[in-house]
Amino acid sequence: MNSCRVCGNNLKEFINFGMMPIANSFKKTIQIDEYKFQMSVGFCENCMTVQLINQPDPVKMFHENYAFFSSSSNYMQTHFREFANKVIEDRLLDKKSIVVEIGCNDGILLENFKERKIISVGIEPSKNVARIAEKKGIDVINEFFNENVVNQIVKKFKKADVILSANVICHIPDINSIFSGIKKLLASDGLFIFEDPYLLDIINKNSFDQIYDEHVFLFSAMSVSYLANKNDLELICVQPQKTHGGSMRYTIGHKNAHKIDKSVVNQISLEKTNGLHLFKSYCNFEINILKIKVELINLLKILKSENKTVVGYAATSKSTTLINFFGITSDLLPVIFDTTPNKFNTYSPGANIPILPYSLFHESDPDYVLLFAWNHSEEIMTKEASFMKENRKWILYVPKLQVI
Ligand code: DWN
Ligand code: SAH
Ligand code: ZN
């Protein structure tokens, strides 16, 4: 039996992607025997949480050489500046306030609090990115969030007025211990605000590539509400976000400490209208994933038979699922260009497709560009408008296959 990490009930499996590598394990040399794990996804009919059935040990994914640097997108920098400003204004934060962020990465969010002279602490296990945040003058605890970290913060400062987290809570398998840690760390009138890719958007847009080793949970308002309640907390507000193809911002407080916004009940009812509480919806999701697999592979094969050049744009974590599940090899996609120096001149996880520095993209002469960072399409398409004008086309696969 596969037990739900939230409530212990039996998980019902709905898709098996097969053996998958670590999504961010970009390699200096070609490797054919790298670490892989069985990536299948299950649904819990009791608490409504969608989750990976197996997840690699967190230390295999988050370490001193983590490949994702949050500040690689200008759009995300703006998003996090606006997020910080909103929290400061809504919560009337000042020099006496304490803000804690779980998974601060390179400090993309906390640097905004630092600028406003508000005390903030980041918890970040991946040493290389944590060091960048520290260089920005941010106080970082280089550890996985746990009870010891909670005690350290409360002892050094006080309980947190606000605990923030973006694209991190859905990464943490031992989720009840995270929520019980938050219960201890949060001041009596404090708020825990986190965002993660939103299950309803993932299903409706068929953005199945949000499923990879790091993303152990795909949350909804239903499942977060259950999780909060179980840990003597309460979901008090939800606010949809455009980021990462559709995310949800969840605001949580101590039980009975805040008025519950009507957005919670409205969102849960929308989720039920869309069948997120029913196993059959996930079986349909699997059908849609298999459909796009056939469509994209057919397109790449046709383009190859016509001697067209196709290159990949952005070696995202998401691309690891797509490339390996679809069986894309370097004969269909000879190269991926990316802006992250740590990924330059490496080979992609699993498929061993070469990753080259972004500067070489404009020296290449592709007919088609397969956009793996489809979530940043506005930013990227604007940036590349003049290059793409020269009779080149984008290939997009979310929410459906499009050549534009
Ligand atoms: O949840 C997560 C999110 C926040 O970030 C993490 N688990 C890992 C990561 O996911 P991702 O790798 O799918 O993130 P992005 O932001 O969709 O893609 C980032 C990659 O794209 C980087 O390698 C940089 C690259 N990129 C690029 O080459 N040119 C990005 C942009 C915006 C560009 O213009
Ligand atoms: N908040 C950033 C980073 C997201 S990437 C953003 O939205 O861009 C996920 C981050 O979570 C990584 O930097 C990783 O090291 C961190 N992380 C993973 N598990 C964690 C844990 N248990 N506690 C704190 N941070 C964690
Ligand atoms: Zn459950």
Side-chain angles (χ1 to χ4, degrees), residues 63-235:
H63 41 63
E64 65 292 342
N65 196 21
Y66 184 53
F68 173 69
F69 295 73
S70 297
S71 299
S72 57
S73 155
N74 293 332
Y75 176 73
M76 292 310 295
Q77 289 182 23
T78 306
H79 170 78
F80 285 125
R81 192 178 322 117
E82 289 171 357
F83 185 12
N85 288 342
K86 184 161 179 11
V87 171
I88 294 169
E89 274 143 40
D90 288 356
R91 300 304 296 167
L92 307 172
L93 300 183
D94 59 23
K95 286 171 194 162
K96 285 182 264 145
S97 315
I98 300 289
V99 175
V100 173
E101 188 189 4
I102 305 175
C104 67
N105 198 280
D106 60 11
I108 188 171
L109 174 60
L110 289 186
E111 62 193 4
N112 299 290
F113 293 94
K114 166 103 191 132
E115 264 171 32
R116 305 271 294 261
K117 303 203 165 26
I118 294 165
I119 300 171
S120 60
V121 185
I123 300 139
E124 176 49 66
S126 300
K127 203 173 197 149
N128 58 336
V129 293
R131 236 187 252 129
I132 300 178
E134 275 167 350
K135 279 196 188 131
K136 292 176 180 171
I138 296 165
D139 198 341
V140 184
I141 301 176
N142 180 213
E143 278 182 54
F144 288 91
F145 182 77
N146 59 29
E147 197 150 322
N148 175 35
V149 169
V150 170
N151 294 336
Q152 233 175 291
I153 296 173
V154 176
K155 199 168 158 206
K156 185 168 173 194
F157 303 99
K158 57 171 187 163
K159 289 198 177 191
D161 298 293
V162 183
I163 304 173
L164 302 173
S165 196
N167 309 301
V168 174
I169 300 303
C170 72
H171 294 58
I172 309 181
D174 195 4
I175 194 71
N176 281 306
S177 85
I178 297 302
F179 271 65
S180 64
I182 283 161
K183 175 85 196 161
K184 285 191 190 127
L185 180 59
L186 198 62
S188 57
D189 62 343
L191 293 181
F192 167 41
I193 310 172
F194 77 98
E195 338 183 313
D196 270 320
Y198 181 45
L199 178 63
L200 186 56
D201 285 306
I202 294 173
I203 302 278
N204 284 345
K205 296 178 189 163
N206 201 23
S207 50
F208 68 93
D209 57 350
Q210 284 291 5
I211 302 171
Y212 52 90
D213 57 354
E214 295 179 21
H215 287 176
V216 63
F217 294 109
L218 305 180
F219 286 126
S220 60
M222 278 188 296
S223 58
V224 169
S225 173
Y226 184 101
L227 181 56
N229 263 304
K230 188 168 191 285
N231 290 283
D232 204 23
L233 294 161
E234 202 160 43
L235 177 61

Side-chain angles (χ1 to χ4, degrees), residues 171 212 214-215 317-318 338-340 343 375-376 383:
H171 294 58
Y212 52 90
E214 295 179 21
H215 287 176
S317 318
K318 298 180 285 291
D338 193 280
T339 53
T340 309
K343 297 182 188 175
N375 46 313
H376 301 308
K383 186 161 78 177

Side-chain angles (χ1 to χ4, degrees), residues 346-363:
T346 61
Y347 294 91
S348 76
N352 291 302
I353 296 173
I355 315 294
L356 291 183
Y358 168 68
S359 58
L360 300 178
F361 175 60
H362 290 151
E363 288 175 27

